[in-house]
Amino acid sequence: EQHPDTANIYNNLGIGYDSKGDHEKALQMHEKALQIGLATLGDQHPDTATTYGCICLVYYSRGEYDKALANLEKALNIFQATLGEQHPRTAQAYHGMGVALRIVGEYGQALEMHGKALQIQLVALGDQHADTAETYNNMGLVYSKMGHYDKALEMHEQALQIQHAMLDEHHPQVAESLNNLGNVYDLRGEYDKAMAMHERALQIQLAVFGEGHPAVAMTYNNIGQAHCDRRDFHKALDVYTRAHQIQLVTLGEQHIDTLASATSIAVCERHLSRRT
């Protein structure tokens, strides 16, 4: 029981529970892993930092971003002390903090964290690496939240360029970048471009995942948003309903994404009822 390999097993179990939405059980597994790690490896070991990162992801899933950030800061401090500032895992910790800070609306701090991650990645991994592309994408999400749409497009296009060079053109990460571009075009009112990006993303995801996957549901929601912004509520309702049906099966009725789709359906139905 008191062995690092046992801690790894608990962490893997925790990741599995988290992916199924059982966040309480996931947290229990990671806490057991942490107890073993602290007892066998100490509080200044990269594996201990990794467990703090796993705990962070569960709190992230639960929407408890303050707790997520607190655990990420612990992981970051350990990585800095044991691996150094210029290590890719240190960059991952900065990256994670940037994501959490964006979600809580701290956009300036989020950009700072992603900027630190990017500086490390460009030196340690190079400018043609999947992790570097992911950081560009997340910087784009922050700029989009700030209303800096030209800068957001620049970041997402940079990510897509790297992914096209490094990955198969039908890779899910390519679809993610296309969706990000589509969302920015939608915010700019360029609905035809937005729809084109989302449709390309959808074709990739359908080929890779099939119809019944949460990523496909997310893209249907993006397409629904573009239709909704064009005031085409019939088409929006159709794709929102497809998204909701997938989420009910894959995520459950009470998942935040499922509830968001249900809200979008209700909004469309309300607009359509006013036309009759």
Side-chain angles (χ1 to χ4, degrees), residues 202 205-220 242-252:
L202 180 64
Q205 291 169 332
L206 288 173
V208 174
F209 299 127
E211 176 80 11
H213 192 278
V216 174
M218 180 195 70
T219 301
Y220 278 135
R242 289 190 202 179
H244 190 244
Q245 289 171 344
I246 295 168
Q247 290 164 335
L248 284 172
V249 174
T250 59
L251 302 176

Side-chain angles (χ1 to χ4, degrees), residues 118-139:
L118 183 62
Q119 289 175 354
I120 297 168
Q121 290 164 339
L122 288 172
V123 173
L125 304 174
D127 60 359
Q128 297 294 307
H129 192 279
D131 287 357
T132 308
E134 186 178 4
T135 298
Y136 279 124
N137 257 333
N138 277 281
M139 292 178 79

Side-chain angles (χ1 to χ4, degrees), residues 95 118 121-122 125-140 155-164 166-167 173-174 176-177 180:
H95 174 82
L118 183 62
Q121 290 164 339
L122 288 172
L125 304 174
D127 60 359
Q128 297 294 307
H129 192 279
D131 287 357
T132 308
E134 186 178 4
T135 298
Y136 279 124
N137 257 333
N138 277 281
M139 292 178 79
M155 294 295 104
H156 294 315
E157 287 168 353
Q158 183 70 36
L160 187 61
Q161 180 181 345
I162 296 169
Q163 290 164 341
H164 277 153
M166 301 298 297
L167 305 170
Q173 289 182 21
V174 174
E176 181 182 351
S177 292
N180 289 337

Side-chain angles (χ1 to χ4, degrees), residues 22-172:
D22 192 343
H23 307 312
E24 191 62 36
K25 193 70 174 178
L27 199 55
Q28 291 175 12
M29 296 298 102
H30 293 314
E31 291 289 356
K32 286 184 178 179
L34 181 61
Q35 291 173 2
I36 295 171
L38 289 171
T40 59
L41 302 174
D43 61 359
Q44 293 296 307
H45 191 281
D47 287 355
T48 304
T50 298
T51 300
Y52 280 123
C54 290
I55 293 171
C56 156
L57 292 176
V58 179
Y59 282 125
Y60 175 87
S61 299
R62 285 164 52 143
E64 298 180 52
Y65 302 117
D66 288 343
K67 292 181 179 179
L69 277 168
N71 280 277
L72 263 178
E73 287 173 359
K74 292 178 181 179
L76 175 61
N77 290 335
I78 297 170
F79 285 140
Q80 288 173 323
T82 58
L83 302 177
E85 179 70 15
Q86 299 302 314
H87 195 279
R89 292 177 76 178
T90 304
Q92 288 176 352
Y94 278 128
H95 174 82
M97 291 183 70
V99 171
L101 287 164
R102 168 175 57 83
I103 291 171
V104 300
E106 297 289 348
Y107 303 133
Q109 292 182 50
L111 274 180
E112 181 184 352
M113 293 299 106
H114 287 312
K116 288 183 177 181
L118 183 62
Q119 289 175 354
I120 297 168
Q121 290 164 339
L122 288 172
V123 173
L125 304 174
D127 60 359
Q128 297 294 307
H129 192 279
D131 287 357
T132 308
E134 186 178 4
T135 298
Y136 279 124
N137 257 333
N138 277 281
M139 292 178 79
L141 294 175
V142 179
Y143 281 122
S144 183
K145 287 289 187 181
M146 297 172 75
H148 299 165
Y149 301 133
D150 289 345
K151 194 68 176 176
L153 284 176
E154 180 186 337
M155 294 295 104
H156 294 315
E157 287 168 353
Q158 183 70 36
L160 187 61
Q161 180 181 345
I162 296 169
Q163 290 164 341
H164 277 153
M166 301 298 297
L167 305 170
D168 183 271
E169 64 178 344
H170 292 98
H171 194 281

Side-chain angles (χ1 to χ4, degrees), residues 170-223:
H170 292 98
H171 194 281
Q173 289 182 21
V174 174
E176 181 182 351
S177 292
L178 290 169
N179 264 326
N180 289 337
L181 283 166
N183 288 334
V184 180
Y185 282 126
D186 186 57
L187 289 167
R188 284 163 55 113
E190 299 180 60
Y191 303 125
D192 289 341
K193 289 183 178 180
M195 200 70 70
M197 295 296 108
H198 294 318
E199 290 290 352
R200 285 173 62 189
L202 180 64
Q203 293 308 310
I204 293 171
Q205 291 169 332
L206 288 173
V208 174
F209 299 127
E211 176 80 11
H213 192 278
V216 174
M218 180 195 70
T219 301
Y220 278 135
N221 271 329
N222 289 338
I223 294 171

